[in-house]
């Protein structure tokens, strides 16, 4: 694997107890790790990107549209384009999100 394929991105504080780190990207796809302390909040928001979320660790209460659900390590789901969503960490952990196309606002 050449060094041009592997990129390094900074860790960004996105809120109290929440950080974001892009781990891979291309114009068509972006993979991002979000680390949450217990009680950390991913504020309600929406975007035109389709998002898949994998719960690597922790427990989270997610709001997606009008539905609230609790997800745990090993769970995954898809959030359609432009649907309002957000979460709260009931137990600190890591979410791995994939976006298509890439979230240029994260670069």
């Amino acid at each position: 694997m050449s060094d041009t394929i592997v990129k390094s991105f900074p860790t960004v504080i996105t809120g109290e107890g929440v950080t974001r780190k892009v781990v891979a990207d291309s114009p068509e796809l972006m993979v991002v790790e979000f680390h949450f302390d217990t009680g950390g909040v991913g504020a309600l928001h929406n975007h035109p990107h389709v998002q898949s979320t994998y719960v690597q660790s922790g427990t989270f209460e997610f709001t997606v549209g009008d539905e609230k659900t609790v997800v745990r390590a090993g769970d995954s789901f898809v959030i359609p384009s432009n649907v309002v969503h957000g979460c709260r960490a009931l137990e600190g952990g890591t979410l791995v999100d994939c976006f298509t196309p890439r979230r240029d606002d994260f670069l």
Side-chain angles (χ1 to χ4, degrees), residues 20-75:
R20 172 184 80 218
K21 182 176 174 85
V22 173
V23 295
D25 84 306
S26 75
E28 299 83 15
L29 177 69
M30 176 177 271
V31 181
V32 182
E33 286 184 346
F34 288 89
H35 298 279
F36 287 79
D37 294 339
T38 298
V41 172
L44 289 172
H45 66 285
N46 68 338
H47 45 73
H49 313 83
V50 174
Q51 173 181 334
S52 70
T53 296
Y54 171 72
V55 184
Q56 181 176 324
S57 61
T59 304
F60 297 83
E61 180 182 65
F62 258 87
T63 300
V64 179
D66 295 329
E67 185 177 336
K68 285 190 178 190
T69 191
V70 174
V71 294
R72 294 173 174 76
D75 290 339

Side-chain angles (χ1 to χ4, degrees), residues 77-96:
F77 53 95
V78 172
I79 301 168
S81 176
N82 295 312
V83 172
V84 174
H85 59 283
C87 68
R88 180 172 55 93
L90 303 176
E91 174 189 321
T94 300
L95 301 174
V96 179

